[in-house]
Amino acid sequence: MRMTTFFSLRLIGWCSLLVAGLGTGCDEKPGAQSLRFRVPEHFPALVYDTINNRVTPDGFALGKMLFYDGLLSRDGTISCGSCHQQGYAFTHHGHALSHGIDDQLGSRNAPPIQNMAWTSSFFWDGGVFDLDLFSISPIENPVEMDEDMVRVLEKLKAHPKYPGLFKAAYGTDEINSARVLQALSQFMIMLISDQSRYDQYVTGDEKVLTAAEQAGLAVFEAKCATCHSGVLQTDQTFRNNGLPLRPAPDEGRYRITLNPADKYRFKVPSLRNVAVSAPYMHDGRFRTLDAVLDHYRDGVARTENLDPVLAQGAKPGIALTEEEKTLLISFLHTLTDTAFLFDDRFSEY
């Protein structure tokens, strides 16, 4: 499910979850309390519609099995979890560009899967804006999973376990694309990262951050929070952050909108768990946080549509001293949510 967009999907209807935190809890079995979908008190309002696709233990279990099953790919070798590994915030850790079927190289870096219920658009270029349509793109992308949804359904129907799992989740053993996609949504919607030390600080525990980390937060709020705003650490806009162009440059959101003003603009990623999700940028060109900050201080290029925040003054970018860089990196580590990274509910095994 890497962010390589093969085709642009348009919104054809909202499908969603029932949210326990809103007083409409999911169906429960004994011991299923831990599978409740919840809205963290310090999070913003949900983006994902919460009416038609209830999170249930059986629906979640089905979605999890699908997420980690290579059956969704042409030759059975690539699953969603192949490029989205839990210990690295569901990224393809260490790969600048993720590798798909037949070890083919994609064109973009696989970003984290986290807090998807608060995400207004998907992929680096925003080509999909409904979570229940999200999974079609990687399944049918020829360099990712290279399969057809019709064949996926045929394989699921012929599988010894899946008809029973669909019956448990939906009441009948009918297997169709809507149910497959909604089950995957049920799993992904549960991938909530809200237990970092930063979250503890935001919710009132001021002592949880060291003096250096709090100083780093102050630098962050002054110099980074225009784009990486709020507790989600992203304003979810599309911006050109001045990456020097490479041969055959990726034109970003322009490929979706064909609006010249969107050329070289990419979605602002969340910085949650950023310390474990290297490499960085849409093409994975930076392998360390130090290199990222060096870019913003010294490497920003005046490319077409450079974001105005970075275009001020004679030198583009963000003025940072070495001390400020050190403090920023110290703060960014407080965004690591180890409870999320090692939650057994989300693990493959």
Side-chain angles (χ1 to χ4, degrees):
M1 293 191 177
R2 135 172 103 254
M3 289 302 206
T4 307
T5 304
F6 177 48
F7 53 88
S8 174
L9 297 171
R10 296 303 178 190
L11 184 63
I12 60 174
W14 282 99
C15 295
S16 54
L17 302 165
L18 186 67
V19 181
L22 299 180
T24 52
C26 64
D27 292 343
E28 294 187 41
K29 294 181 177 180
Q33 182 69 20
S34 64
L35 286 179
R36 275 184 173 272
F37 178 81
R38 58 184 176 80
V39 178
E41 292 183 0
H42 61 298
F43 271 34
L46 283 166
V47 172
Y48 190 80
D49 188 1
T50 55
I51 298 173
N52 297 318
N53 185 23
R54 300 189 301 163
V55 174
T56 67
D58 289 318
F60 172 86
L62 173 59
K64 178 178 176 179
M65 187 167 176
L66 290 167
F67 186 87
Y68 287 114
D69 198 337
L71 177 149
L72 272 61
S73 67
R74 168 173 49 81
D75 64 1
T77 62
I78 303 296
S79 71
C80 305
S82 298
C83 293
H84 296 283
Q85 300 159 7
Q86 182 184 5
Y88 305 105
F90 291 94
T91 64
H92 202 176
H93 180 67
H95 294 267
L97 304 174
S98 293
H99 296 256
I101 200 160
D102 301 326
D103 203 32
Q104 294 184 80
L105 194 64
S107 61
R108 292 177 182 168
N109 176 259
I113 295 180
Q114 57 189 356
N115 300 330
M116 302 289 268
W118 292 268
T119 302
S120 55
S121 62
F122 305 91
F123 303 122
W124 282 103
D125 54 22
V128 174
F129 49 94
D130 182 349
L131 182 60
D132 290 344
L133 302 177
F134 172 82
S135 301
I136 298 175
S137 184
I139 289 172
E140 299 200 341
N141 189 309
V143 300
E144 296 189 42
M145 302 171 87
D146 193 30
E147 188 53 291
D148 180 270
M149 277 300 295
V150 173
R151 278 185 41 81
V152 168
L153 298 180
E154 292 173 351
K155 289 188 286 185
L156 291 173
K157 290 173 183 177
H159 193 276
K161 293 184 179 180
Y162 274 113
L165 292 173
F166 274 85
K167 184 173 183 178
Y170 295 108
T172 71
D173 61 5
E174 180 184 357
I175 299 176
N176 56 43
S177 58
R179 286 183 170 184
V180 170
L181 297 171
Q182 287 187 334
L184 284 165
S185 290
Q186 286 198 36
F187 177 72
M188 290 188 288
I189 211 77
M190 289 290 291
L191 303 180
I192 300 172
S193 178
D194 71 323
Q195 299 295 313
S196 67
R197 287 194 296 122
Y198 165 75
D199 290 293
Q200 297 172 43
Y201 180 83
V202 168
T203 54
D205 186 358
E206 296 185 359
K207 296 181 180 180
V208 73
L209 300 189
T210 67
E213 289 165 346
Q214 291 188 41
L217 172 57
V219 175
F220 180 87
E221 290 177 336
K223 301 195 174 187
C224 308
T226 298
C227 303
H228 298 286
S229 58
V231 296
L232 297 179
Q233 294 290 310
T234 173
D235 66 356
Q236 305 203 48
T237 61
F238 298 85
R239 298 173 184 257
N240 175 358
N241 65 344
L243 293 174
L245 299 181
R246 292 176 168 179
D250 188 332
E251 294 181 319
R253 186 154 173 77
Y254 173 74
R255 289 164 54 175
I256 301 301
T257 67
L258 300 182
N259 182 349
D262 284 330
K263 192 171 288 187
Y264 310 128
R265 288 182 175 175
F266 296 88
K267 188 172 183 180
V268 176
S270 170
L271 296 182
R272 285 183 165 273
N273 297 298
V274 69
V276 301
S277 58
Y280 308 107
M281 305 299 171
H282 70 275
D283 55 8
R285 69 176 65 190
F286 300 130
R287 305 193 71 83
T288 66
L289 292 174
D290 192 70
V292 171
L293 295 180
D294 281 344
H295 161 72
Y296 283 112
R297 185 179 66 177
D298 299 315
V300 173
R302 288 192 181 277
T303 53
E304 185 179 352
N305 298 319
L306 177 64
D307 195 271
V309 172
L310 300 174
Q312 302 172 17
K315 178 183 177 181
I318 300 172
L320 289 171
T321 66
E322 282 298 318
E323 180 182 12
E324 287 173 329
K325 278 180 54 184
T326 299
L327 292 173
L328 273 174
I329 291 174
S330 179
F331 164 68
L332 291 174
H333 278 268
T334 73
L335 300 173
T336 302
D337 183 353
T338 54
F340 171 69
L341 300 178
F342 299 101
D343 192 323
D344 288 341
R345 296 175 301 167
F346 310 142
S347 66
E348 182 172 5
Y349 303 106

